[in-house]
Amino acid sequence: MQLLEEKIAQCGMILPGDVLKVDSFLNHQIDISLYQAMGQEFARRFAGRPINKILTIEASGIGLACITAQYFHNAPVVFAKKNKSSNVGSDFYTAQVASYTHGVTYDILVSKSYLAPGDHVLIIDDFLANGKAVQGLKAILEFAGATLEGVGIAVEKGFQPGGQDLRRAGIPLESLAIVEHMDADTGEIVFRH
Amino acid sequence: MQLLEEKIAQCGMILPGDVLKVDSFLNHQIDISLYQAMGQEFARRFAGRPINKILTIEASGIGLACITAQYFHNAPVVFAKKNKSSNVGSDFYTAQVASYTHGVTYDILVSKSYLAPGDHVLIIDDFLANGKAVQGLKAILEFAGATLEGVGIAVEKGFQPGGQDLRRAGIPLESLAIVEHMDADTGEIVFRH
């Protein structure tokens, strides 16, 4: 998606450790017009799929999921919560997620009330790197018996394995910008097309 | 706001400890059409104020802030992050917030890049009880030299002091539903009008 790539090229910052900092428009300060364009693009790419619910994970996926839902007939958004305590009772679907960025493992949870076998779900998130968060959300959908219709990502780090793993598993994955290569020394960012 | 009060009366659950559970439509699963109506109502109530930025706090304020921003000419949204480590460097405005719900104190932080003296800010959040989160956001705006134009809340617990404190301080506060009284035994919820 050209608009997003231009914004990344213009405002993104490459930090040591393969960190792409896009928090001026994507995940700390948010450019609402850009989110709207991204939501419309997700709707175009997943057109024809019977999506009736959008699933994301706190915190930075929530805004994009809510704006995007407007282009899916105001489908309800459910966001998985990150949890530190392991004792959450039996009312939740849970999965473990290992965070690449923060070097920790945490539980994610979704109330059993908000996912059901009749649900056809689009997963939305801001970043895809190793794909652990999406794998955790996918596991939760399987526990619920819901159907995963696709995964929509703002920025995929194409040089990390998350995207490849999902595509090989046959999951419809649409990343609006795929960073093929980035160089912290030169500031160069190359996108996959 | 009648639509929100009806939804709370219909779907809200009162739990022991003065907890009002509204996670079927407000802060775990999200009713996007309701959020849109709430965003329009905030725009109506804060009409005429020169709001150019919306500030909220992760996680459950983000979705409402993003939908609401659309009715403020797509003003950028900035969300404060909650932080466990106290060492965040000098690039952030920080404030301490004592959480009523979770019985802990945490730091909130906003990058200095995203708030400036020229900003006229509307704070949006899903809940107002003791008001500690809003007081923390207000402190951050003061550090930045930005102007607080108002505070927009989905659900205020009118029997806790947060709302009264803000109104006494002369801050324009608009809560779309104010719970005056609720009874866990009978399930009764009385709204202030």
Side-chain angles (χ1 to χ4, degrees):
Chain A
M1 183 187 176
Q2 191 177 350
L3 184 66
L4 179 59
E5 291 179 6
E6 287 171 2
K7 193 85 179 182
I8 294 168
Q10 184 193 337
C11 304
M13 283 168 56
I14 308 167
L15 303 183
D18 281 339
V19 173
L20 177 60
K21 191 169 182 253
V22 287
D23 68 359
S24 66
F25 60 95
L26 196 73
N27 52 16
H28 181 19
Q29 183 168 250
I30 294 167
D31 181 332
I32 297 295
S33 301
L34 179 64
Y35 266 25
Q36 289 171 334
M38 293 164 68
Q40 288 169 324
E41 180 66 14
F42 284 132
R44 193 183 69 77
R45 296 194 187 192
F46 291 104
R49 292 193 169 266
I51 291 160
N52 74 327
K53 195 163 278 187
I54 292 182
L55 179 65
T56 187
I57 184 168
E58 67 176 18
S60 47
I62 299 173
L64 182 58
C66 286
I67 296 289
T68 295
Q70 299 177 124
Y71 306 100
F72 288 84
H73 310 286
N74 282 5
V77 169
V78 174
F79 64 88
K81 302 186 181 194
K82 294 176 181 172
N83 197 47
K84 299 109 221 170
S85 83
S86 55
N87 182 17
V88 297
S90 58
D91 296 339
F92 294 89
Y93 300 114
T94 65
Q96 281 208 325
V97 173
S99 166
Y100 172 82
T101 316
H102 301 103
V104 295
T105 295
Y106 55 90
D107 291 321
I108 62 173
L109 50 97
V110 174
S111 169
K112 290 183 179 175
S113 303
Y114 309 133
L115 286 173
D119 283 329
H120 291 258
V121 178
L122 174 63
I123 291 175
I124 292 284
D125 207 359
D126 59 336
F127 259 93
L128 179 68
N130 284 306
K132 300 303 185 190
V134 170
Q135 295 288 357
L137 295 173
K138 180 170 169 286
I140 280 176
L141 290 178
E142 285 162 7
F143 296 146
T147 303
L148 175 57
E149 290 289 341
V151 177
I153 298 291
V155 184
E156 177 183 338
K157 289 173 162 174
F159 52 88
Q160 288 181 252
Q164 192 178 60
D165 291 346
L166 291 171
R167 290 184 184 94
R168 280 187 178 160
I171 293 162
L173 167 65
E174 294 288 346
S175 300
L176 301 186
I178 303 178
V179 177
E180 190 71 86
H181 172 77
M182 61 187 199
D183 188 319
D185 294 328
T186 65
E188 186 193 36
I189 301 175
V190 177
F191 295 100
R192 186 190 304 169
H193 290 118
Chain B
M1 183 186 178
Q2 191 177 350
L3 185 65
L4 179 59
E5 291 180 6
E6 286 171 2
K7 193 84 178 182
I8 294 169
Q10 184 192 337
C11 303
M13 283 170 54
I14 307 167
L15 304 184
D18 282 338
V19 174
L20 177 59
K21 190 170 181 257
V22 287
D23 68 359
S24 66
F25 59 95
L26 196 73
N27 51 18
H28 182 20
Q29 182 169 249
I30 293 167
D31 180 332
I32 297 296
S33 301
L34 179 64
Y35 266 26
Q36 289 171 334
M38 292 164 69
Q40 288 169 322
E41 180 67 14
F42 284 132
R44 194 183 69 77
R45 296 194 186 191
F46 291 104
R49 292 192 170 268
I51 291 160
N52 74 328
K53 196 164 279 188
I54 293 182
L55 179 65
T56 187
I57 185 167
E58 66 175 20
S60 47
I62 298 173
L64 182 58
C66 286
I67 296 290
T68 296
Q70 299 178 123
Y71 306 99
F72 287 85
H73 309 287
N74 282 5
V77 169
V78 174
F79 64 88
K81 302 186 181 195
K82 295 175 181 173
N83 197 48
K84 297 109 221 169
S85 83
S86 55
N87 181 18
V88 297
S90 59
D91 297 338
F92 294 90
Y93 300 113
T94 65
Q96 282 207 325
V97 172
S99 166
Y100 172 81
T101 316
H102 300 104
V104 296
T105 295
Y106 55 89
D107 290 321
I108 62 172
L109 51 98
V110 174
S111 168
K112 289 182 179 174
S113 303
Y114 309 134
L115 287 173
D119 283 329
H120 292 257
V121 179
L122 174 63
I123 291 175
I124 291 285
D125 207 1
D126 60 336
F127 259 93
L128 179 68
N130 284 306
K132 300 303 185 190
V134 170
Q135 295 288 357
L137 295 172
K138 180 171 168 289
I140 281 176
L141 290 179
E142 284 162 9
F143 297 145
T147 303
L148 175 57
E149 290 289 341
V151 177
I153 298 291
V155 183
E156 177 184 339
K157 288 171 161 177
F159 52 88
Q160 289 180 251
Q164 192 178 61
D165 292 346
L166 291 171
R167 289 185 185 95
R168 281 187 178 159
I171 293 161
L173 167 64
E174 294 288 345
S175 301
L176 301 185
I178 304 178
V179 177
E180 190 70 85
H181 171 77
M182 59 187 200
D183 188 319
D185 294 327
T186 64
E188 187 193 37
I189 302 175
V190 178
F191 295 100
R192 187 189 302 168
H193 291 118

